[in-house]
Amino acid sequence: MTDTASADDPAARRLLELLSSGASSEELARVPADGATMRLALHIRRTLDAHSRREAELTALFDTASDLARLRDLDAVLRSIVRRARMLLGADVSYLTLNDHSDDGSTYMRVTDGSASAVFQQLRLGVGEGLGGLVAQTARPYATRDYPRDSRFDHTGAIDGAVNDEGLVAILGVPLSLGERVIGVLFASERRPRSFSPDEVALLSSFADHAAIAIDNARLIEESTAALAELGAANETIKAHHEGLARAQDAHDRLTEVVLGGADVAGVAAAVAAMLGGGIVVRDAEGRELGRSGAGRVGPEQAVLSRALRASRTAGKAVAEGGAWVCAVMAGPELLGSITLTGRAGLDDADRRLFERAGVVTALLLLLRRSAAEAEDRVRGELVADLLTAPERDPATLLHRGRRLGVDLTAPHAVLTLHADDVSRARLTSVAARRAVLAGVYAERVVMLADTADPGELARRTAVELSHALGSPVTVGGAGPASGPAELARAHAESVRCVRALLALGRQGRGAAPADLGFVGLVLGDRTDVADFVRATLGPVLDYDAARGTELLRTLRAYFACGGNLTRARSELHVHVNTVAQRLERVASLLGSDWQQPDRALEIQLALRLHRLSG
């Protein structure tokens, strides 16, 4: 719970019982609990509500995919899309316009749900007019919080009159596209001001993708039926065409069932490979492989795949390149990844549509994965922030939270602090989390914990990998390994000093640990730690003198003070020259044979001076 509440607190226990039973925020607020406990309980309630809402959205989206795969009638398809869009976005009114095939290129109202105005239901928009006309013209989604007052759109008397008659204020419109051709626009609207979030835009865009495919299928079926009536000689061709459509629709049902059954990306890849008789590779937006089935390790070169992905994203359909088929996996305008088919030099229309449908299903799965990953990243990021903010306050709770996330904070971990000027902290955290046990933001910088005994090597490798992945220099300071909240917090402070020293040296995009910087880190760090530097440099000599009562430290001072002259050092120490030589041999065995090299000698002299000044 919190610092002020425990499982033995009756109020806290009552709040937990209410949370487990699904009680509302109002019911929780009636429990007499302290402010911190109540805030945490309400936060958990809001988080659970958000997860439930997201689960409901994705379930509705999958249900829509199944419905569309079964529907054949165009009107039924359009009504299902508009009804689901209104329900899922919680909108007052949803509607769909289709482009007229006449020369004027206008778009007309086709289906509405929640509308009460006859004027609005008969509305027609010219090219570029209003929000819908602009979406149809540019093939891009647009949203407005207050349409009547939004000057971005070409307002006309007919459109503004219809919108006013319906009482609409906030409007979101996304294009219905088939390849490069926009066939209509799908809308969600409110009778009050409302800001539509990027997730809502992506969700409605996914609906629009389904709608476009369903409309295309319904029209194809109608055209095929008409051709069958007119051309008896083409009966076999039309029959094969219908069989191909049925196979594609059946495949879509099967893929939807695979996703709803909880399969991962590898499971979807295996299902698609079995349907198409080729090899399937699924990658994320950055080109990392997420799953494969039936595909050899040797495939099209990365440059060829990148070119094909750009072409597919532009065309909105699968393209052939380098002996493979590539389909961009999209959620509206956002690129989520790609799906590649090998071993099939040619694809007929039915198999191509099946492949493209696999891309849509893969997009749904990746959206679900991302939602789950973002929720987990937030929890992990909160643990990092709490761990570094007050490690001494409640270490037992911190350790328990770590164990719930599968992280043993009592085990040694390296602490890395990351700095990047041209990359958002959210993106840097997301990329760093794939390489860390924990990652989060603390004091305006990204911090990650990792399992390694060599923080310097990890810092250097991480700097190279993240700079390459993000296309911008990422500077990394490492420290540790450290165990337990308090030691991890101290290691973090040391890693921050290391980052600042690297930046002061102009070594952006590099990684290092304090041991890599030596006295330079001591001089340039914003908070110098003299005792640690002296101990790291002279520790073995100090311990030897303390244990045996020898004067190795005094001999070192005299040796350097006399410019390395043994005879002068002997006079300074009042001992035989052989004694000086023997003592220096012992120093070499303790500090290493390179202790007289210029760099090491400089650090040792600085440590000797600091040791004397610090008493």
Side-chain angles (χ1 to χ4, degrees), residues 151-171:
S151 61
R152 292 179 297 164
F153 308 106
D154 183 9
H155 291 266
T156 68
I159 297 175
D160 286 358
V163 170
N164 182 63
D165 193 55
E166 188 63 57
L168 300 182
V169 177
I171 302 175

Side-chain angles (χ1 to χ4, degrees), residues 89-447:
L89 268 70
D92 293 331
V93 181
S94 60
Y95 50 102
L96 182 147
T97 64
L98 293 180
N99 289 358
D100 199 335
H101 295 299
S102 60
D103 293 338
D104 64 0
S106 61
T107 181
Y108 63 97
M109 192 72 68
R110 184 66 171 80
V111 181
T112 66
D113 190 78
S115 171
S117 168
V119 175
F120 182 78
Q121 294 167 12
Q122 299 172 12
L123 183 62
R124 179 178 288 270
L125 294 76
V127 177
E129 293 179 351
L131 185 147
L134 186 59
V135 173
Q137 182 183 44
T138 62
R140 295 174 56 190
Y142 280 91
T144 176
R145 176 179 175 81
D146 191 347
Y147 176 81
R149 294 180 176 80
D150 199 327
S151 61
R152 292 179 297 164
F153 308 106
D154 183 9
H155 291 266
T156 68
I159 297 175
D160 286 358
V163 170
N164 182 63
D165 193 55
E166 188 63 57
L168 300 182
V169 177
I171 302 175
L172 166 62
V174 298
L176 296 164
S177 302
L178 290 175
E180 299 179 350
R181 181 166 60 95
V182 177
I183 63 172
V185 181
L186 179 62
F187 299 86
S189 58
E190 291 278 353
R191 294 189 174 94
R192 64 185 184 281
R194 171 180 173 179
S195 297
F196 292 96
S197 68
D199 284 345
E200 291 173 325
V201 175
L203 196 59
L204 194 61
S205 296
S206 295
F207 270 101
D209 292 339
H210 281 292
I213 294 173
I215 291 169
D216 187 36
N217 286 340
R219 286 178 173 171
L220 284 173
I221 292 174
E222 291 175 355
E223 292 170 2
S224 298
T225 303
L228 181 63
E230 296 174 0
L231 303 172
N235 180 65
E236 292 301 322
T237 302
I238 296 174
K239 181 180 178 181
H241 182 64
H242 274 287
E243 289 175 351
L245 287 175
R247 175 171 171 263
Q249 291 159 355
D250 178 65
H252 196 188
D253 286 340
R254 290 168 57 191
L255 287 175
T256 302
E257 291 173 0
V258 167
V259 174
L260 293 177
D264 57 9
V265 177
V268 172
V272 177
M275 294 172 190
L276 292 174
I280 292 292
V281 180
V282 181
R283 296 179 174 85
D284 64 12
E286 296 178 357
R288 288 186 295 271
E289 184 179 310
L290 300 177
R292 71 166 53 221
S293 179
R297 287 293 165 184
V298 179
E301 296 180 357
Q302 185 59 45
V304 175
L305 288 175
S306 298
R307 184 169 60 250
L309 181 58
R310 288 193 297 270
S312 174
R313 188 177 182 182
T314 301
K317 60 183 180 181
V319 298
E321 186 80 35
W325 286 85
V326 178
C327 182
V329 176
M330 307 290 294
E334 181 185 1
L335 177 67
L336 298 179
S338 65
I339 180 170
T340 303
L341 172 64
T342 58
R344 290 289 302 272
L347 286 180
D348 57 26
D349 287 345
D351 280 353
R352 179 178 57 79
R353 288 192 183 90
L354 192 158
F355 183 49
E356 290 168 353
R357 287 169 183 242
V360 174
V361 173
T362 302
L364 298 178
L365 180 59
L366 294 183
L367 281 173
L368 180 61
R369 280 167 48 97
R370 184 172 68 181
S371 177
E374 287 174 351
E376 183 174 354
D377 287 346
R378 282 194 297 271
V379 174
R380 290 176 174 270
E382 291 169 358
L383 175 57
V384 170
D386 293 345
L387 178 65
L388 300 179
T389 300
E392 306 284 359
R393 187 169 57 192
D394 192 357
T397 297
L398 293 172
L399 295 177
H400 177 66
R401 288 170 61 186
R403 284 193 295 271
R404 286 193 300 174
L405 294 174
V407 180
D408 182 6
L409 295 177
T410 63
H413 290 92
V415 181
L416 272 62
T417 298
L418 285 59
H419 175 89
D421 290 322
D422 301 324
V423 180
S424 69
R425 288 190 294 274
R427 187 179 180 205
L428 182 57
T429 303
S430 176
V431 177
R434 303 189 188 107
R435 299 165 170 82
V437 172
L438 283 178
V441 177
Y442 176 72
E444 304 301 318
R445 281 199 171 96
V446 175
V447 181

Side-chain angles (χ1 to χ4, degrees), residues 457-473:
E457 170 59 27
L458 179 61
R460 289 187 290 274
R461 186 172 70 251
T462 301
V464 172
E465 292 176 354
L466 295 189
S467 297
H468 176 73
L470 298 172
S472 180

